[in-house]
Amino acid sequence: MKNGEGAVDARYRAPALEKGIDILELLAAEPRPMTLTGIVNSLGRSHGELFRMVQVLEYRGYIEQDPSNEGYRLTDRLFSLGMQQPRTKNLIELALPVMRELASSACQSCHLALHTRGEMVVVARMESGEQLGFSVRVGYRRPLMQAASGAVLYAFQPDDTRERWEALFDPQPSAAELAAFRAHADSVRERHVELTPSKFVAGVTDISAPILRGGIAAAALTVPYLKKLQSSPSIKDTAVLVRQAADLISEQLVEGDSRV
């Protein structure tokens, strides 16, 4: 039986494809560009095995050389491909007009985030019309446990989905840290909005609410609230605006998505 299972597994292996995926996953996990030698050493393969693969990935636009050194880094090509999926395009198309109104009403920028491999990633943003503000670029990502939008995305998931996402956390949290995050997510679910000081920027308060599809968070709508000296909506008023905007997108998403 074992031999039979091994034979079946071998039929579906594609060594060249696996090498390419290994390179992409390695570069995705590295915060800094990696040289070819670094890639070879990290993957435990020979220079000859990966040299041609790196060339092809660069030629096809999936990786590029960093201008400041000889290292390679991912481009946004994979991200762009993912954004072409009808389900994601539909969500963004529905969200953008509401986000524009939110940015205008709150006098703050806002952004839309999805879950990917244990992290949140920003897929759309809307600048405010103010001369002074704070915004997050498209493609920005952080572990779920470190971001307001991550807590919101996690909070509105069934238990089995939460468990799958937890297995993707990197680094893995301690039992106490995970228990605290779960409890916090449950409180976010009760409030239906997250409001917390940014863990990365002083003076910014992240306000986030879920965009729901069938009761499950498909995305998180977030305002990185920057307190201004001139007259503008308060944090509490902005939290109300964020939740109302998220609810409005949720209503349209359910109506516009026949797969729900």
Side-chain angles (χ1 to χ4, degrees):
M1 179 63 71
K2 289 183 179 180
N3 291 337
E5 291 175 353
V8 171
D9 291 341
R11 289 176 53 194
Y12 295 96
R13 293 198 61 190
L17 177 59
E18 290 173 357
K19 292 175 190 175
I21 293 174
D22 286 344
I23 293 170
L24 294 175
E25 290 182 345
L26 174 65
L27 294 180
E30 288 293 327
R32 298 181 180 83
M34 295 187 69
T35 63
L36 177 59
T37 299
I39 294 172
V40 167
N41 292 337
S42 295
L43 295 180
R45 294 181 180 273
S46 70
H47 190 281
E49 281 184 286
L50 299 185
F51 175 74
R52 179 66 65 182
M53 188 63 63
V54 167
Q55 281 192 319
V56 172
L57 288 173
E58 183 179 15
Y59 175 74
R60 295 297 295 268
Y62 289 95
I63 65 176
E64 63 184 4
Q65 289 196 47
D66 187 273
S68 63
N69 57 41
E70 298 180 353
Y72 291 92
R73 64 186 181 189
L74 285 184
T75 67
D76 63 356
R77 181 166 174 76
L78 283 173
F79 181 80
S80 299
L81 289 175
M83 291 301 99
Q84 294 177 27
Q85 286 295 305
R87 193 179 187 95
T88 303
K89 287 181 67 176
N90 185 45
L91 170 59
I92 295 175
E93 289 168 357
L94 290 172
L96 285 176
V98 181
M99 293 171 64
R100 184 174 294 108
E101 179 61 31
L102 172 61
S104 176
S105 301
C107 301
Q108 305 278 345
S109 70
C110 60
H111 56 266
L112 192 71
L114 307 180
H115 165 264
T116 176
R117 297 179 63 83
E119 298 181 324
M120 53 70 66
V121 59
V122 174
V123 297
R125 72 173 182 179
M126 186 63 63
E127 301 280 359
S128 72
E130 303 292 304
Q131 291 186 337
L132 179 64
F134 179 83
S135 64
V136 178
R137 66 178 177 82
V138 171
Y140 175 84
R141 61 178 63 216
R142 278 287 181 265
L144 291 184
M145 293 181 64
Q146 298 180 16
S149 54
V152 167
L153 289 166
Y154 176 90
F156 292 84
Q157 301 297 329
D159 290 342
D160 59 335
T161 300
R162 285 188 176 192
E163 291 178 5
R164 289 200 303 272
W165 289 9
E166 289 168 5
L168 297 171
F169 290 171
D170 185 20
Q172 278 289 302
S174 67
E177 291 171 335
L178 185 56
F181 180 65
R182 289 170 176 168
H184 178 70
D186 290 340
S187 69
V188 170
R189 190 181 184 99
E190 291 179 4
R191 296 192 307 270
H192 218 83
V193 66
E194 169 72 309
L195 196 156
T196 183
S198 170
K199 292 182 173 64
F200 301 98
V201 182
V204 170
T205 300
D206 291 326
I207 305 171
S208 186
I211 295 173
L212 302 175
R213 179 191 279 117
I216 297 173
L221 178 64
T222 303
V223 164
Y225 183 92
L226 182 66
K227 185 173 176 57
K228 304 172 184 176
L229 296 180
Q230 68 267 34
S231 177
S232 61
S234 67
I235 288 181
K236 289 185 178 180
D237 290 340
T238 301
V240 172
L241 292 173
V242 172
R243 180 169 176 177
Q244 289 174 343
D247 289 345
L248 180 56
I249 298 171
S250 298
E251 293 170 5
Q252 297 181 64
L253 185 63
V254 171
E255 293 174 359
D257 194 338
S258 61
R259 290 164 293 188
V260 174

